[in-house]
Coordinates of all heavy atoms in Angstrom, one line a residue:
R244 N -28.6 64.1 -31.8 CA -27.6 64.1 -32.9 C -28.0 65.2 -33.9 O -28.5 64.9 -35.0 CB -27.6 62.7 -33.6 CG -27.2 61.6 -32.7 CD -27.1 60.3 -33.5 NE -25.9 60.4 -34.4 CZ -25.7 59.7 -35.4 NH1 -26.6 58.9 -35.9 NH2 -24.6 59.8 -36.1
P245 N -27.8 66.5 -33.5 CA -28.3 67.5 -34.4 C -27.6 67.6 -35.8 O -28.2 68.0 -36.7 CB -27.8 68.8 -33.7 CG -26.9 68.4 -32.6 CD -27.2 66.9 -32.3
E246 N -26.4 66.9 -35.9 CA -25.8 66.9 -37.3 C -26.6 66.2 -38.4 O -26.5 66.4 -39.5 CB -24.3 66.3 -37.1 CG -24.2 64.9 -36.9 CD -24.3 64.5 -35.4 OE1 -24.8 65.3 -34.6 OE2 -24.1 63.4 -35.0
T247 N -27.3 65.2 -37.9 CA -28.1 64.3 -38.8 C -29.3 65.0 -39.4 O -30.0 64.6 -40.4 CB -28.6 63.0 -38.2 OG1 -29.4 63.2 -37.1 CG2 -27.3 62.2 -37.7
M248 N -29.7 66.2 -38.8 CA -30.8 67.0 -39.3 C -30.6 67.4 -40.7 O -31.6 67.5 -41.5 CB -31.0 68.2 -38.5 CG -29.9 69.3 -38.7 SD -30.5 70.9 -38.2 CE -31.7 71.2 -39.4
L249 N -29.3 67.4 -41.2 CA -29.0 67.8 -42.6 C -29.6 66.8 -43.6 O -29.8 67.0 -44.7 CB -27.5 67.9 -42.8 CG -26.8 69.0 -41.9 CD1 -25.3 68.9 -42.0 CD2 -27.2 70.3 -42.3
G250 N -29.9 65.6 -43.0 CA -30.5 64.5 -43.9 C -32.0 64.2 -43.5 O -32.4 63.2 -43.9
D251 N -32.5 65.1 -42.7 CA -34.0 64.9 -42.5 C -34.9 64.9 -43.7 O -34.7 65.7 -44.7 CB -34.6 65.9 -41.5 CG -34.0 65.8 -40.1 OD1 -33.3 64.9 -39.8 OD2 -34.3 66.7 -39.2
T252 N -35.9 64.0 -43.8 CA -36.9 64.0 -44.9 C -38.3 64.1 -44.3 O -39.3 64.0 -45.1 CB -36.7 62.7 -45.8 OG1 -36.8 61.6 -44.9 CG2 -35.4 62.7 -46.4
A253 N -38.5 64.3 -43.1 CA -39.8 64.5 -42.5 C -39.6 64.9 -41.0 O -38.6 64.6 -40.3 CB -40.6 63.2 -42.6
V254 N -40.8 65.3 -40.4 CA -41.0 65.4 -38.9 C -42.2 64.5 -38.6 O -43.2 64.5 -39.4 CB -41.3 66.8 -38.5 CG1 -41.7 66.9 -37.1 CG2 -40.0 67.7 -38.8
A255 N -42.1 63.7 -37.6 CA -43.1 62.8 -37.3 C -43.7 63.0 -35.8 O -42.9 63.3 -34.9 CB -42.6 61.4 -37.4
V256 N -44.9 62.7 -35.7 CA -45.6 62.7 -34.3 C -46.5 61.4 -34.3 O -46.7 60.7 -35.3 CB -46.5 64.0 -34.2 CG1 -45.7 65.2 -34.4 CG2 -47.6 63.9 -35.3
N257 N -46.9 61.2 -33.0 CA -47.7 59.9 -32.8 C -49.2 60.3 -33.3 O -49.6 61.4 -32.9 CB -47.7 59.5 -31.4 CG -48.3 58.2 -31.2 OD1 -49.6 58.1 -31.3 ND2 -47.6 57.2 -30.9
P258 N -49.8 59.5 -34.0 CA -51.2 59.8 -34.5 C -52.2 60.0 -33.3 O -53.2 60.6 -33.6 CB -51.6 58.6 -35.3 CG -50.6 57.4 -34.9 CD -49.4 58.1 -34.5
K259 N -51.8 59.5 -32.1 CA -52.8 59.7 -31.0 C -52.5 61.0 -30.1 O -53.1 61.3 -29.2 CB -52.7 58.5 -30.0 CG -53.3 57.2 -30.7 CD -53.2 56.1 -29.7 CE -53.7 54.7 -30.4 NZ -53.7 53.7 -29.5
D260 N -51.4 61.7 -30.6 CA -51.0 62.9 -29.9 C -51.8 64.1 -30.3 O -51.6 64.7 -31.4 CB -49.5 63.2 -30.1 CG -48.9 64.2 -29.2 OD1 -49.7 65.0 -28.6 OD2 -47.7 64.1 -28.9
K261 N -52.8 64.5 -29.5 CA -53.7 65.6 -29.8 C -53.0 66.9 -30.1 O -53.6 67.8 -30.8 CB -54.8 65.7 -28.7 CG -55.7 64.5 -28.6 CD -56.6 64.6 -27.4 CE -57.6 63.4 -27.4 NZ -58.5 63.6 -26.2
R262 N -51.8 67.1 -29.5 CA -51.2 68.4 -29.6 C -50.8 68.8 -31.0 O -50.7 69.9 -31.5 CB -49.8 68.4 -28.8 CG -50.0 68.3 -27.3 CD -48.7 68.1 -26.6 NE -48.1 66.8 -27.0 CZ -46.9 66.5 -26.5 NH1 -46.1 67.3 -25.8 NH2 -46.4 65.2 -26.9
Y263 N -50.6 67.7 -31.9 CA -50.1 68.0 -33.2 C -51.1 67.5 -34.3 O -50.8 67.4 -35.4 CB -48.8 67.1 -33.5 CG -47.8 67.6 -32.4 CD1 -47.3 66.8 -31.4 CD2 -47.1 68.9 -32.7 CE1 -46.3 67.1 -30.6 CE2 -46.1 69.3 -31.8 CZ -45.7 68.5 -30.8 OH -44.8 68.8 -29.8
K264 N -52.3 67.2 -33.9 CA -53.3 66.7 -34.8 C -53.5 67.5 -36.0 O -53.6 67.0 -37.2 CB -54.7 66.4 -34.1 CG -55.6 65.5 -34.8 CD -56.8 65.1 -34.0 CE -57.6 64.1 -34.7 NZ -58.8 63.7 -33.9
K265 N -53.6 68.8 -35.8 CA -53.8 69.8 -36.9 C -52.7 70.0 -37.8 O -52.7 70.5 -38.9 CB -54.3 71.2 -36.4 CG -55.7 71.1 -35.7 CD -56.2 72.4 -35.2 CE -57.5 72.3 -34.5 NZ -58.0 73.8 -34.0
L266 N -51.5 69.6 -37.3 CA -50.2 69.9 -38.1 C -49.9 68.8 -39.0 O -49.1 68.9 -40.0 CB -49.0 70.1 -37.2 CG -49.1 71.5 -36.5 CD1 -47.9 71.6 -35.5 CD2 -49.1 72.6 -37.5
V267 N -50.5 67.6 -38.8 CA -50.2 66.4 -39.7 C -50.7 66.7 -41.1 O -51.8 67.2 -41.3 CB -50.9 65.2 -39.1 CG1 -50.7 63.9 -40.1 CG2 -50.4 64.7 -37.7
G268 N -49.7 66.6 -42.0 CA -50.1 66.8 -43.4 C -49.5 68.2 -43.8 O -49.3 68.4 -45.1
E269 N -49.1 69.0 -42.9 CA -48.5 70.3 -43.2 C -47.0 70.0 -43.5 O -46.4 68.9 -43.3 CB -48.5 71.3 -42.1 CG -50.0 71.7 -41.7 CD -50.7 72.5 -42.7 OE1 -50.0 73.1 -43.6 OE2 -51.9 72.5 -42.7
K270 N -46.3 71.1 -44.0 CA -44.9 71.0 -44.4 C -44.1 72.0 -43.6 O -44.6 72.9 -43.1 CB -44.7 71.2 -45.9 CG -45.5 70.2 -46.7 CD -45.1 70.4 -48.2 CE -46.0 69.4 -49.1 NZ -45.6 68.1 -48.8
V271 N -42.9 71.7 -43.4 CA -41.9 72.6 -42.7 C -40.7 72.8 -43.6 O -40.3 72.0 -44.5 CB -41.4 72.0 -41.3 CG1 -42.5 71.8 -40.4 CG2 -40.6 70.7 -41.5
T272 N -39.9 73.8 -43.4 CA -38.7 74.2 -44.0 C -37.6 73.6 -43.2 O -37.5 74.1 -41.9 CB -38.6 75.7 -44.2 OG1 -39.7 76.1 -45.0 CG2 -37.3 76.0 -45.0
L273 N -36.8 72.8 -43.7 CA -35.6 72.2 -43.0 C -34.5 73.2 -42.8 O -33.9 73.7 -43.9 CB -35.1 70.9 -43.6 CG -33.9 70.2 -42.9 CD1 -34.4 69.7 -41.6 CD2 -33.5 69.1 -43.8
P274 N -34.3 73.7 -41.7 CA -33.2 74.7 -41.5 C -31.9 74.3 -42.0 O -31.6 73.1 -42.1 CB -33.2 74.9 -40.0 CG -34.5 74.5 -39.5 CD -34.9 73.3 -40.4
L275 N -31.1 75.2 -42.4 CA -29.7 75.0 -42.9 C -29.7 74.4 -44.4 O -29.0 74.8 -45.3 CB -28.9 74.2 -42.0 CG -28.8 74.7 -40.6 CD1 -27.9 73.9 -39.7 CD2 -28.3 76.2 -40.5
A276 N -30.5 73.3 -44.5 CA -30.6 72.7 -45.9 C -31.6 73.3 -46.8 O -31.6 73.1 -48.0 CB -31.0 71.3 -45.6
N277 N -32.6 74.1 -46.2 CA -33.6 74.8 -46.9 C -34.5 73.9 -47.8 O -34.8 74.2 -49.0 CB -33.0 75.9 -47.7 CG -32.5 77.0 -46.8 OD1 -33.1 77.4 -45.8 ND2 -31.4 77.5 -47.2
R278 N -34.8 72.7 -47.4 CA -35.7 71.7 -48.1 C -36.9 71.7 -47.3 O -37.0 71.9 -46.2 CB -35.1 70.3 -48.0 CG -33.9 70.1 -48.9 CD -33.7 68.5 -49.3 NE -33.8 67.7 -48.1 CZ -32.8 67.3 -47.2 NH1 -31.7 67.9 -47.4 NH2 -33.1 66.6 -46.2
V279 N -38.0 71.5 -48.2 CA -39.3 71.4 -47.6 C -39.6 70.0 -47.4 O -39.5 69.1 -48.2 CB -40.4 72.0 -48.6 CG1 -41.7 71.8 -48.1 CG2 -40.1 73.5 -48.8
I280 N -40.0 69.6 -46.1 CA -40.3 68.2 -45.8 C -41.7 68.2 -45.0 O -42.1 69.2 -44.5 CB -39.2 67.7 -44.9 CG1 -39.1 68.5 -43.5 CG2 -37.9 67.6 -45.6 CD1 -38.0 67.9 -42.6
P281 N -42.4 67.0 -45.1 CA -43.7 66.9 -44.4 C -43.7 66.6 -43.0 O -42.7 66.1 -42.5 CB -44.3 65.7 -45.3 CG -43.1 64.8 -45.6 CD -42.0 65.7 -45.8
I282 N -44.8 66.9 -42.4 CA -45.1 66.4 -41.0 C -46.0 65.1 -41.1 O -47.1 65.3 -41.8 CB -45.8 67.5 -40.1 CG1 -44.9 68.7 -40.0 CG2 -46.2 67.0 -38.7 CD1 -45.6 69.9 -39.3
I283 N -45.6 64.1 -40.6 CA -46.3 62.8 -40.7 C -46.7 62.3 -39.4 O -46.2 62.7 -38.3 CB -45.6 61.8 -41.6 CG1 -44.3 61.4 -40.8 CG2 -45.3 62.3 -43.0 CD1 -43.4 60.2 -41.4
A284 N -47.6 61.3 -39.3 CA -48.0 60.6 -38.1 C -47.6 59.2 -38.2 O -47.9 58.5 -39.2 CB -49.5 60.8 -37.8
D285 N -47.0 58.6 -37.2 CA -46.6 57.3 -37.2 C -46.6 56.7 -35.7 O -46.2 57.4 -34.7 CB -45.2 57.0 -37.8 CG -44.8 55.6 -38.1 OD1 -44.5 54.9 -37.2 OD2 -45.1 55.2 -39.3
R286 N -47.0 55.4 -35.7 CA -47.2 54.8 -34.4 C -45.9 54.6 -33.5 O -45.8 54.5 -32.3 CB -47.8 53.5 -34.5 CG -47.2 52.5 -35.4 CD -47.9 51.2 -35.6 NE -47.3 50.4 -36.6 CZ -46.2 49.7 -36.5 NH1 -45.5 49.6 -35.3 NH2 -45.8 48.9 -37.5
L287 N -44.8 54.6 -34.2 CA -43.5 54.3 -33.6 C -42.9 55.6 -32.9 O -42.0 55.4 -32.1 CB -42.4 53.9 -34.6 CG -42.6 52.5 -35.1 CD1 -41.4 52.1 -36.1 CD2 -42.7 51.4 -34.0
V288 N -43.5 56.7 -33.0 CA -43.1 58.0 -32.3 C -43.5 57.9 -30.8 O -44.8 57.6 -30.6 CB -43.6 59.2 -33.0 CG1 -43.2 60.4 -32.2 CG2 -43.2 59.3 -34.4
D289 N -42.6 58.0 -30.0 CA -42.9 58.1 -28.6 C -43.3 59.5 -28.1 O -42.5 60.4 -28.1 CB -41.6 57.7 -27.7 CG -41.9 57.7 -26.3 OD1 -43.0 58.0 -25.8 OD2 -40.8 57.5 -25.5
P290 N -44.6 59.7 -27.7 CA -45.0 61.1 -27.3 C -44.3 61.6 -26.2 O -44.4 62.8 -25.9 CB -46.5 60.9 -27.0 CG -46.9 59.6 -27.7 CD -45.7 58.7 -27.6

Side-chain angles (χ1 to χ4, degrees):
R244 304 186 66 207
E246 70 278 10
T247 62
M248 69 161 293
L249 301 171
D251 286 359
T252 57
V254 171
V256 298
N257 191 287
K259 295 182 180 180
D260 195 332
K261 294 179 181 178
R262 295 172 295 176
Y263 300 109
K264 196 169 184 179
K265 291 182 180 179
L266 287 177
V267 175
E269 298 292 339
K270 298 184 184 298
V271 297
T272 301
L273 181 63
L275 307 180
N277 293 317
R278 287 202 313 275
V279 176
I280 60 176
I282 299 174
I283 62 173
D285 194 276
R286 57 182 170 77
L287 289 183
V288 176
D289 179 4

